[in-house]
Amino acid sequence: TLLPGRQMNIQVFLEWFHRLDAFVVGVALLVMAVASFVWRRLLPGWLPWLCTVLVFLVALQGGLGALTVLQLLPSGIVTAHLALALTLVVLMSGLTQRLLQPSADASPLWWRLLSGFALLGVVSQSLLGARMATSWAAQSCLLGGENCRWLLLHRSMATPVASVVLLFVVTALIAGGWSRRQWPFLLGLCVLVGAQVALGVLTLRLGLSQPGVTVAHQLVAALLVALLAALVARRPETSPTPLPVVLDDTSMEPCHG
């Protein structure tokens, strides 16, 4: 039904809202794709084609979402569902930055490399966490000491991934110039990394018994992915070309002094 009534509880609400939100996202991307083709003469040439790819990806995402329900939440399909969702987040965040900066210079090579490695690390860590959660590995390990492989891998990777993100932040601040002027975004990365580490520790201390903490852990990971993707695509503003100075002798007045 459109709105479950007497069956509504927190579990039903989460399922219902998830599908409703997915429908809204799909319609929004479809409208954006149609608009990009209608006004393609006023937009960058790559935009209509990227919008078409986004519509295809969100349709594929809907298919994976249906499979997760029909197959009763298999770990591999749920992890693939999250991987595709994070791919959509990366593309939309990067796309937004490129449209906000239509005329900009290329960012420094070290900026693209470090931010790209940090982005790849956070995405990989998120997928490891999804694999751990959907295979119930954390519960098995914490309760019975079994199937601890995914939990140990997720914990051991947390420190290197956080270090890469912080290395990018420190390098950008030391380099100065344009990269240092991005300090609000860099500060945001530090805050999100700190919150993510704290939520991860709290999740394990609580034995994954509090869904709200687990959801917050995944939400902060998605925000980290979005912010890093924006910084990968962010570029310095193009310096305006100075106008030539033309001196006309007939219009110049005598200057004494």
Side-chain angles (χ1 to χ4, degrees):
T1 60
L2 179 63
L3 180 61
R6 285 174 291 182
Q7 297 87 359
M8 182 66 79
N9 54 35
I10 184 61
Q11 289 86 0
V12 173
F13 172 78
L14 290 174
E15 289 279 356
W16 171 79
F17 185 79
H18 181 68
R19 297 182 193 183
L20 176 65
D21 185 58
F23 174 76
V24 171
V25 170
V27 170
L29 289 176
L30 183 60
V31 170
M32 187 173 72
V34 172
S36 67
F37 275 99
V38 171
W39 287 288
R40 61 185 179 276
R41 297 177 184 274
L42 305 176
L43 299 170
W46 49 265
L47 184 59
W49 305 109
L50 180 56
C51 290
T52 303
V53 171
L54 290 171
V55 171
F56 171 77
L57 290 178
V58 81
L60 181 61
Q61 179 75 335
L64 286 174
L67 279 178
T68 60
V69 176
L70 296 176
Q71 300 295 325
L72 300 180
L73 304 176
S75 178
I77 294 179
V78 175
T79 303
H81 192 51
L82 177 63
L84 190 51
L86 293 179
T87 301
L88 283 166
V89 170
V90 168
L91 291 175
M92 286 301 302
S93 186
L95 166 65
T96 302
Q97 284 300 313
R98 286 302 175 93
L99 291 178
L100 289 173
Q101 298 176 304
S103 57
D105 298 326
S107 57
L109 179 60
W110 65 264
W111 174 279
R112 284 171 283 165
L113 287 176
L114 282 179
S115 59
F117 279 132
L119 174 61
L120 182 61
V122 172
V123 170
S124 301
Q125 182 71 346
S126 297
L127 297 181
L128 279 175
R131 183 68 173 175
M132 177 191 70
T134 55
S135 62
W136 302 98
Q139 288 85 343
S140 300
C141 182
L142 294 175
L143 295 177
E146 300 176 355
N147 196 20
C148 293
R149 180 179 74 258
W150 290 110
L151 177 58
L152 293 177
L153 184 60
H154 185 63
R155 288 180 60 183
S156 62
M157 287 296 296
T159 300
V161 170
S163 299
V164 171
V165 176
L166 295 178
L167 175 64
F168 167 60
V169 172
V170 172
T171 305
L173 293 175
I174 292 176
W178 170 80
S179 61
R180 184 178 294 172
R181 290 196 296 272
Q182 311 309 308
W183 67 266
F185 305 104
L186 301 173
L187 178 61
L189 285 179
C190 295
V191 171
L192 290 175
V193 167
Q196 186 71 337
V197 171
L199 285 170
V201 173
L202 183 60
T203 300
L204 291 178
R205 291 286 178 87
L206 295 174
L208 283 82
S209 61
Q210 298 298 323
V213 179
T214 306
V215 171
H217 192 50
Q218 181 56 58
L219 175 61
V220 174
L223 291 174
L224 265 173
V225 168
L227 183 52
L228 281 168
L231 290 173
V232 170
R234 196 166 178 80
R235 299 179 295 178
E237 292 291 342
T238 303
S239 301
T241 304
L243 296 175
V245 178
V246 179
L247 299 179
D248 186 358
D249 293 339
T250 59
S251 63
M252 294 186 68
E253 298 179 357
C255 180
H256 303 281

